[in-house]
Amino acid sequence: MGARQGAVVAAALVAVVAPRCITAAPLDLLAASETADDPAEKSGENWPGSAFFFARDAFDPVPGALRSEHVLGLDRVQAAPATAFRGLTALDSYRALHCLTSAIYYEAGSEPEDGQRAVAQVVLNRVRHPAWPKSICGVIYQGSERTDSRCQFTFSCDGSMTRLASIEGWVRARRIASQALAGLVYRPVGLATYYHSLAVRPDWAATMRPVAVIGAHIFYRPPGIEGTPAAFRISYPGRETQSGPSRPIWSIKPLPLDPIPAPTAPLPAPAPASRPPAPEAGLPQSDIRPEYRTSGRPLI
C-alpha cells in the first residue's frame, strides 16, 4: 500500500513541475530568435488585396504591361484622353466633386492612392461612354433607388454611407477627386469601365477583358469596339441634377379585396313612416303661443 501511495505522489509532482518546464522552453527559444520579418507583412504598407501581389501565378501579366508596387498590369492599355470635367455652375461643380469624393472614399478608402485614382478614372470613363448617364453623380448613383443591393456602386445602396467618414480619409479622397476632375488621367487603368473586389467573382467578369489589378480591385474593359477609344465620344455637359442617392422605390402590391357576396334573398321593403297617433276625442289640441312662434330663428 505504501509503494502505491508513493507512486501516486511522484506522478502528482511530475504533473505539477512538467508544464513549467515545457512552457519555459519555447519562450526561451522565442526570446533568442532573431528571424527577419516577412517583407510582405510590413506595418503600414498593406491594404485589402495586397496578398494577391505575393501569390505565385495568381495572375499572368502581359509582357510590356505596367507593373509597380500597387499595380499589376494584365493588358497593354491606352490611357483615356486628358479631359477637364467642369460644371456649368458653381453648384454643378460642387456636386460633381462631392459625388466623386464619396465614390473614392467608400469604394477604396483603405487603399493606396493608386487604388483610389483607378476608381475615379472608371467613373470618368463611364461619363464619356454612351452606355452610362452623362453626369458624374448620375453614374455614381445609378440604380441607388433599388432595394435589392444591385446598384452600380454598392456603397450607394447598401447602407455604407451611414458610416461617418474620417476627416483624414475624406480630405485625401477629395484631393484625388479634385485632381481627376481637373484633367489628371490615371493611365494604368486605361479605358476600364468595370471593376470588382478581389474577394468576389461576378458572372459578368468572364465576358470582359481584364486590364489590371490595382489595389484591392481588378479592372476590366468591354470587348470589341465598346472598349476602344472610339466608344468614348460623349462630352461632359457639365450638368449635375443630383448630389446623393435616389430615394428607394419600394414595390408595394395592392391588397386583394374581399368579394361582396351576392344577396340570396330580396331585401324587405322599408316600413312606412309612422304617423303620430290621432288625438283622442275630448282632449284639447296643443298650439304654440304667439309670443314664442319666432323662437330659434337667427337674429340676423
Side-chain angles (χ1 to χ4, degrees):
M1 206 47 145
R4 181 176 298 179
Q5 291 180 349
V8 171
V9 172
L13 291 176
V14 171
V16 172
V17 176
R20 297 177 179 269
C21 298
I22 295 173
T23 305
L27 292 178
D28 293 339
L29 292 175
L30 290 175
S33 176
E34 296 182 357
T35 305
D37 295 334
D38 185 351
E41 297 296 334
K42 293 182 180 179
S43 175
E45 294 186 7
N46 283 12
W47 65 96
S50 62
F52 282 83
F53 287 87
F54 300 97
R56 181 176 298 175
D57 299 329
F59 298 101
D60 189 13
V62 173
L66 178 63
R67 182 167 187 173
S68 64
E69 183 182 3
H70 301 147
V71 179
L72 181 62
L74 304 177
D75 192 9
R76 294 184 180 182
V77 298
Q78 182 174 353
T83 304
F85 293 79
R86 298 187 179 91
L88 292 179
T89 65
L91 179 59
D92 294 324
S93 298
Y94 169 77
R95 285 175 174 174
L97 178 60
H98 181 76
C99 291
L100 189 56
T101 301
S102 299
I104 294 171
Y105 180 85
Y106 288 105
E107 288 286 296
S110 61
E111 295 187 34
E113 287 195 6
D114 288 277
Q116 296 190 347
R117 294 187 187 278
V119 169
Q121 190 62 54
V122 165
V123 173
L124 300 183
N125 286 348
R126 286 190 173 190
V127 174
R128 299 183 60 248
H129 198 285
W132 284 276
K134 298 178 179 59
S135 66
I136 294 170
C137 294
V139 165
I140 293 172
Y141 295 115
Q142 184 180 16
S144 58
E145 73 280 357
R146 300 173 65 107
T147 57
D148 55 1
S149 298
R150 295 178 66 87
C151 45
Q152 291 293 315
F153 293 87
T154 54
F155 81 92
S156 68
C157 65
D158 67 354
S160 297
M161 299 186 71
T162 60
R163 186 179 73 250
L164 186 63
S166 68
I167 297 178
E168 181 182 358
W170 185 264
V171 169
R172 184 175 74 151
R174 186 181 179 88
R175 172 176 56 84
I176 293 175
S178 178
Q179 294 173 349
L181 293 174
L184 181 62
V185 176
Y186 185 69
R187 300 181 63 86
V189 84
L191 298 174
T193 50
Y194 295 87
Y195 67 86
H196 65 78
S197 170
L198 291 170
V200 298
R201 177 69 176 178
D203 296 336
W204 53 260
T207 64
M208 300 292 170
R209 296 196 58 174
V211 172
V213 177
I214 305 174
H217 297 95
I218 180 170
F219 294 80
Y220 301 84
R221 65 180 176 90
I225 193 173
E226 293 298 318
T228 62
F232 297 82
R233 59 184 182 272
I234 303 298
S235 59
Y236 175 58
R239 196 67 177 165
E240 300 289 342
T241 58
Q242 68 181 112
S243 58
S246 304
R247 292 184 177 182
I249 297 179
W250 302 91
S251 57
I252 302 177
K253 298 182 179 179
L255 297 177
L257 299 177
D258 294 332
I260 301 176
T264 57
L267 298 176
S274 60
R275 296 180 179 180
E280 296 183 7
L283 293 178
Q285 298 297 317
S286 61
D287 196 5
I288 298 176
R289 294 171 56 178
E291 62 268 26
Y292 294 113
R293 287 179 181 176
T294 58
S295 177
R297 295 179 181 179
L299 297 178
I300 299 177

